[in-house]
Amino acid sequence: MSLDIREIEYIASLSKFVLNDEEKRVFVSQLGEVLLYIEKLNQLDTENVVPLVHPLNMVNVFREDEQKESICREKVQSIAPSTMGAFFKVPKVLE
Amino acid sequence: MKLLSFTALQIKRKILSREVLTADLIKNLFERIYKVDPVIQSFLTLNEDDAINKAEEIDKKIANNENVGLLAGIPIAIKDNICTKDLTTTCASKILRSFTPPYNAFVIKRLLEEDSIIIGKTNLDEFAMGSSTENSSYKITRNPYNLNCVPGGSSGGSTAAVSADLAFMALGSETGGSIRQPAALCGVVGLKPTYGRVSRYGLVAFGSSLDQIGPVTKDVSDAALLLRVIAGRDKRDSTCADIAVPDYLKDIDDGVKDIKIGIPAEYFGEGLEDDVRAAVDNSLKIYEKLGAKIVDVSLPHTEYAVAVYYIVANAEASSNLSRFDGVRYGFRANDIKGIDEMYCRSRSEGFGKEVKRRIMLGNYALSSGYYDAYYLKASKVRNLIKKDFDAVFEKVDCIVCPTSPVPAFKIGDRFEKPLEMYLSDIYTIPANLSGIPGISIPCGFSKEGLPIGLQILTNRFEEAKMLQIAYAFERETDFHMKKPKL
């Protein structure tokens, strides 16, 4: 499997990255090489294998819905790039 | 400075007997850090004032015969992807350059409860993505045994600091070998606990089904001590197992008589350097002499582990790292007009090359039309790798093998060759995929004088047995006592 520039641009848009031409060129070759290596998984027949998505045999862990104190809002807002009143401030969302 | 070359347990005894004042120890330690770390570059942030205050508190407690914790007065370094309240936590990324967490990770809370002293935050590959610590956005850490070589990674700052006697112990984290591999390359002990043994609360997430925090120490007993402190149930990490934590030091000296050691042929094949092979063969002879039985075993899917890992870990990473959007914390780009531009430019300017590479790969593997071919396929092969271990542990107590196929490599050698870099984790990654614990202990040196690590793997939650087996070897050898010439 190899990738072309258009696919790299598509994956970059999914990832919310803007790439320059040099970065695109490098990613085409480096990601292509990694994907080629990954193709070795196709040597294995896994039709009857169950996927393992978690190393422990765990089921959902539930707890009571208790009211607890959280980290204070001012403290959390103090590390944000921009705030206004009780909110995080972001640039215009709608044109 | 002889005092600083002691192990954590040795220095703790001296502190408790008041032969050494913690405040003096901290002063001495920072003097050495200021002298040596400009060369090694293991720390990103130092916590000197806080450490001195804490040391004086502990000295007072001891003088007043008050109870003190299990780690009383022991100076410890923390990998900079573990959240420390009011102490900068950067993940070695520009995107978190000035991030000061408003809370402590579970493990940090435990360290403080047991009276250890946090001396600083150590360098890593950005977001723990790498095997050499070269991917840090801030500095390149050097291997104390050869300054032209990498310390390994991603916990390279922690392992270099412990190796150079700049910390008595350290915390590292693993997603795919990031504690064991740099421990091997720096000549120290590194332990990856069973998945679920240690809470991940406050560890900046990379691959959530793989990540674990673990000890980096000067010897096996110190690893046993530190693991006991950080392990155990935490309600804030629902994948953290509700299984009692034993005193790992209690039976550590039980020996290896009649212990069955499995030797997987797949870990001794192509790519294994001669000096590493010789050191591991020699280690097996020592185990035989101590009464252990050596048994040939097979882990037939080993060669697929790296491919599985780079799909699973990066798929999880692409999802975890979507939280860095420039809204609530971390870097936000300047002069932005709309929200999409804010996301794109903050992430593009904030993340380094390797992180972008991995997020791209992860998003590709999860994207519509490719999910079955990549993520689903990898998750199935992951199960085959786990079943390999399950079958082997029916027959043997542990697996012994090299930690890394090569000793420390030169800075720059693999930097622009991602695939070659990924393959340096070939012996460590299978344990992360299957959730089992592993430890790397010093077992020799290459012709060039670089440390070599021996890896011991056991079944899930069998850390006590793993530490016993490691300790039996350490007691017979002095590789762990060698120090780099600095």
Side-chain angles (χ1 to χ4, degrees):
Chain A
M1 180 77 206
S2 64
L3 294 170
D4 58 34
I5 291 269
R6 266 187 34 217
E7 284 168 300
I8 288 290
E9 285 169 347
Y10 173 64
I11 309 165
S13 76
L14 291 177
S15 310
K16 297 282 177 201
F17 293 148
V18 272
L19 302 180
N20 61 36
D21 289 346
E22 170 63 12
E23 284 175 311
K24 286 179 200 168
R25 194 188 58 74
V26 171
F27 280 148
V28 164
S29 102
Q30 287 176 338
L31 293 184
E33 193 194 0
V34 174
L35 288 176
L36 199 67
Y37 176 76
I38 283 168
E39 267 186 25
K40 73 188 285 150
L41 296 182
N42 295 328
Q43 296 164 359
L44 294 170
D45 176 9
T46 51
E47 196 168 327
N48 297 315
V49 181
V50 181
L52 178 81
V53 291
H54 197 274
L56 300 179
N57 294 322
M58 291 184 100
V59 286
N60 282 342
V61 180
F62 294 109
R63 61 169 173 79
E64 289 303 309
D65 186 18
E66 298 157 0
Q67 192 179 339
K68 270 188 263 172
E69 213 173 312
S70 62
I71 302 169
C72 110
R73 178 170 58 75
E74 284 79 11
K75 180 122 187 151
V76 171
Q77 280 189 306
S78 73
I79 56 171
S82 179
T83 58
M84 193 169 69
F87 305 101
F88 295 113
K89 195 176 165 192
V90 294
K92 234 185 339 190
V93 176
L94 295 173
E95 286 305 316
Chain B
M1 173 64 59
K2 177 114 174 45
L3 205 57
L4 301 181
S5 65
F6 286 124
T7 68
L9 273 166
Q10 285 167 342
I11 204 72
K12 181 182 149 188
R13 276 194 284 274
K14 288 183 186 296
I15 289 168
L16 293 181
S17 67
R18 302 189 65 193
E19 193 185 324
V20 170
L21 276 177
T22 316
D24 291 342
L25 178 69
I26 291 292
K27 244 174 262 164
N28 278 325
L29 184 65
F30 274 97
E31 263 170 41
R32 181 171 169 85
I33 290 172
Y34 287 124
K35 202 174 112 202
V36 175
D37 209 45
V39 180
I40 303 292
Q41 305 266 19
S42 58
F43 283 95
L44 289 174
T45 306
L46 293 174
N47 190 35
E48 191 175 5
D49 293 344
D50 192 48
I52 292 169
N53 291 338
K54 179 90 190 184
E56 284 167 356
E57 263 173 50
I58 289 161
D59 285 335
K60 257 185 224 152
K61 273 194 194 176
I62 294 170
N64 295 334
N65 283 318
E66 285 174 49
N67 282 339
V68 287
L70 284 168
L71 302 177
I74 301 175
I76 186 164
I78 310 293
K79 185 177 182 179
D80 206 23
N81 62 346
I82 299 172
C83 286
T84 42
K85 192 178 177 192
D86 300 326
L87 183 63
T88 317
T89 300
T90 67
C91 290
S93 179
K94 279 194 229 160
I95 214 160
L96 287 175
R97 183 189 286 279
S98 54
F99 175 61
T100 45
Y103 67 98
N104 274 326
F106 173 82
V107 292
I108 299 298
K109 185 174 143 272
R110 289 291 301 126
L111 293 180
L112 296 174
E113 281 168 357
E114 298 297 342
D115 288 326
S116 72
I117 299 178
I118 293 170
I119 54 169
K121 305 296 292 286
T122 55
N123 199 18
L124 63 152
D125 289 294
E126 184 178 359
F127 285 101
M129 295 176 176
S131 314
S132 69
T133 314
E134 290 168 291
N135 291 327
S136 167
S137 302
Y138 299 109
K139 49 174 70 169
I140 289 182
T141 301
R142 292 169 186 274
N143 191 308
Y145 280 90
N146 181 335
L147 301 175
N148 296 319
C149 289
V150 301
S154 66
S155 309
S158 286
T159 59
V162 171
S163 169
D165 287 334
L166 304 178
F168 283 83
M169 35 176 52
L171 286 184
S173 74
E174 273 216 15
T175 306
S178 276
I179 293 173
R180 289 165 288 156
Q181 185 258 20
L185 271 46
C186 288
V188 297
V189 173
L191 189 157
K192 188 212 70 99
T194 307
Y195 183 85
R197 179 72 290 187
V198 176
S199 167
R200 294 180 291 110
Y201 178 75
L203 170 68
V204 178
F206 166 5
S208 301
S209 78
L210 303 155
D211 296 342
Q212 271 291 285
I213 296 168
V216 173
T217 56
K218 295 183 186 182
D219 71 5
V220 173
S221 304
D222 283 0
L225 173 71
L226 183 50
L227 180 62
R228 181 187 174 188
V229 168
I230 61 173
R233 177 96 180 101
D234 172 23
K235 280 186 182 162
R236 287 169 300 188
D237 173 3
S238 60
T239 62
C240 190
D242 194 5
I243 296 176
V245 180
D247 175 0
Y248 295 109
L249 281 168
K250 193 166 153 273
D251 300 319
I252 200 165
D253 204 6
D254 274 8
V256 288
K257 199 169 176 324
D258 299 327
I259 288 272
K260 282 189 196 145
I261 295 179
I263 307 301
E266 295 83 1
Y267 283 57
F268 290 84
E270 202 189 329
L272 178 61
E273 227 170 75
D274 289 345
D275 289 358
V276 180
R277 184 190 300 271
V280 174
D281 284 347
N282 180 52
S283 308
L284 293 172
K285 288 198 187 97
I286 292 173
Y287 272 119
E288 267 186 307
K289 202 187 79 192
L290 293 171
K293 304 223 168 355
I294 307 291
V295 182
D296 286 329
V297 296
S298 177
L299 296 161
H301 296 95
T302 302
E303 67 167 300
Y304 302 101
V306 173
V308 170
Y309 176 80
Y310 278 92
I311 296 171
V312 170
N314 293 338
E316 294 183 12
S318 66
S319 167
N320 274 322
L321 271 63
S322 65
R323 75 192 58 186
F324 296 98
D325 56 4
V327 176
R328 290 149 303 155
Y329 48 80
F331 172 77
R332 181 188 289 187
N334 290 324
D335 304 323
I336 35 179
K337 286 172 208 83
I339 192 134
D340 202 58
E341 190 190 345
M342 181 190 74
Y343 295 148
C344 290
R345 284 206 19 234
S346 301
R347 289 167 63 79
S348 301
E349 292 168 32
F351 287 134
K353 260 193 272 182
E354 177 65 15
V355 175
K356 284 184 197 163
R357 206 149 44 211
R358 297 204 193 198
I359 290 174
M360 300 261 295
L361 194 64
N363 275 328
Y364 181 68
L366 291 176
S367 65
S368 167
Y370 295 102
Y371 178 88
D372 284 3
Y374 290 104
Y375 186 76
L376 189 65
K377 180 82 187 181
S379 300
K380 288 179 166 192
V381 181
R382 183 179 183 182
N383 204 2
L384 295 175
I385 290 166
K386 177 184 170 281
K387 283 173 194 277
D388 282 356
F389 282 108
D390 290 347
V392 164
F393 288 128
E394 296 273 315
K395 286 181 270 180
V396 297
D397 293 288
C398 71
I399 290 163
V400 171
C401 57
T403 306
S404 160
V406 293
F409 42 91
K410 288 259 156 56
I411 291 170
D413 259 12
R414 299 184 177 199
F415 190 57
E416 285 298 336
K417 299 170 201 152
L419 189 58
E420 210 176 301
M421 185 77 92
Y422 298 171
L423 289 169
S424 55
D425 298 319
I426 187 154
Y427 300 149
T428 43
I429 278 176
N432 300 85
L433 291 173
S434 45
I436 61 171
I439 191 170
S440 178
I441 58 174
C443 77
F445 290 87
S446 70
K447 282 181 208 72
E448 293 76 28
L450 292 165
I452 295 169
L454 182 73
Q455 179 171 230
I456 302 160
L457 305 167
T458 56
N459 211 344
R460 287 171 200 82
F461 299 103
E462 289 187 350
E463 281 86 352
K465 181 157 75 175
M466 184 174 82
L467 286 157
Q468 267 171 28
I469 296 165
Y471 185 78
F473 178 84
E474 189 182 82
R475 200 182 48 185
E476 284 295 304
T477 57
D478 62 359
F479 302 115
H480 63 290
M481 284 151 83
K482 295 265 170 26
K483 297 281 182 184
K485 288 187 186 69
L486 287 167

